[in-house]
Amino acid sequence: MASEVLFRLIKSMDKNEKGYFKKRTKQYGSKQAQSYLVLFDTIDKQVEFDEAAIKKKHFSSAKASAYSQTKSYLLDNLLKSLVSYHYGKSASDKITDLANSIKVLFRKKMRQESLLFILKAKKLAYGIDDMLSVIKMIHLQRSLMAETFNDDFLEKGLILEAEEAECIRYLKAQNELSVVYTKLLYMIRRVRFVANDKLQEELKEIMSAPILKESFFLDRPRGNTLYNSTMSRYYDFLEDFEKSFKHVEAVKKCWDAHPEYKIERLENYFSVVGNYCGVCWRARKPDKILPALESMMELKPTNTLEKMKQFESYHLGVLNYHTGSLKFDEYIPKIEPFFQEYDKVKDKLQDHFIWQYFYNASVLCLCTANYEKALEFLNVIFDDEEEGRLIGIRRVLIIENLILHYELGNLDSLPYYIKSSERIFRKLEVNELEMSFIRFMKKLVNIAPSEKKDLFQSYLRETENLQEKLGSNESIIQILDWKNWLKSVIQNKRIAEVMKEGKSG
């Protein structure tokens, strides 16, 4: 386990971090330092971790404990190097340094200088919405006042007490908002649609939290983000994308209005932009995506995590723009250049980005009749060991999978996929609309070619009736509108053409 951690840590480091570690290690000049530097280089060159090969090459004649000790030294020094490399680049680090300086000035009885440093640290803490550090500075300020008793002691003391109380109130609100957000996110990840009365009651209880009726925290980025992100996800869950957009836009505007906070949490800001672009796509506002991405790409990430998050948000945003604006064919030439970049960084990317990108890319290829490429993208998700976590979206993938196998003419294997899909759907307790698709596919593989057009037309009418009966908040068609596929077969056109005609009509 420790070996795997060491391997993943080394593979996560960028070129500058590795160079800094080697330079720092060589400065020690000890035999031990050189030993774990050899281990570092060996692991760094491996594509997949092979502990047996390392032991055989470098530790076959050493004591049994030598390898374990070298691993421990390497891990310890890697972490120290990474902390040292990145330290001092954030406002949080500056606050820490100021706090240490204040303690020194306190001991030297340099009270006026201490106060100046306290006020400076407090300003930085407010700028990055760090109320815990503000409270810490208030305590130091209070201690300083106690040593320099003046006539205004009570007045200033009460002002500090009120300031601390406001910070505590804000922190309490953050905690309550976080609880609501966590409960809602868990529900969304667990199910994709509010499909029955029990789930509606559960959702109602989550969103009845008193803190959601407050507003005093909205002028601070952390409170604003927690509140508006909760509301955006709530309306997204209900598929009221217009209201969802209103709240996700409020989050982005708040971050843009607090540049210190944005720079301090750049990785999170890239996620904010990514979420914004996703809601723009669902709310049918693709024209807002590219300006947001262009602004985001002007920011310069300083570490690997920030670079990867910027990469994820940018490429998914571009894909969202092309699908949302129905410019499917314009994106096809961009797929190959994307994969050239993707192959270099795929081990550092988040699973949910890979799932999102490959699903959206598969739909885009489906719409442009690039069926083999669409299935290739879809299989990347199906082959993922963690694919089972996609409970809500899994049924969408299954339906698209059936469509693709039909379009590719895989009629021998299609009955197997239909049977497997039906078994999964019954286990997931999907609604009548989704089960109707399985019944349709069963008929489709057994019907005469001359009767297929009539079957497609009758099922299109059935789908529209069921969708109207169920309501939009229970309709999987909001994610994958297979009515466009039915129409494309009936009209003998690509799905992309049907969607463009539908938009213009």
Side-chain angles (χ1 to χ4, degrees), residues 414-446:
L414 194 52
Y416 163 78
Y417 287 116
I418 294 170
K419 186 176 181 179
S420 174
S421 300
E422 183 177 21
R423 186 167 59 248
I424 294 171
F425 274 18
R426 294 194 184 282
K427 186 177 180 180
L428 292 175
E429 298 181 352
V430 301
N431 62 37
E432 177 63 16
L433 178 60
E434 291 152 87
M435 289 306 299
S436 75
F437 189 86
I438 298 295
R439 293 195 298 269
F440 164 70
M441 292 301 297
K442 281 183 174 180
K443 293 177 183 177
L444 185 59
V445 295
N446 293 308

Side-chain angles (χ1 to χ4, degrees), residues 25 29-38 69-70 73-74 77:
T25 300
S30 66
K31 184 177 180 181
Q32 190 178 64
Q34 296 306 314
S35 177
Y36 66 69
L37 188 56
V38 169
Q69 289 176 350
T70 305
Y73 281 122
L74 176 56
N77 282 277

Side-chain angles (χ1 to χ4, degrees), residues 45-62:
K45 291 174 183 176
Q46 289 187 334
V47 177
E48 294 184 2
F49 186 60
D50 188 345
E51 193 164 44
I54 294 173
K55 288 181 178 180
K56 183 177 180 181
K57 184 174 182 180
H58 298 292
F59 296 91
S60 57
S61 60

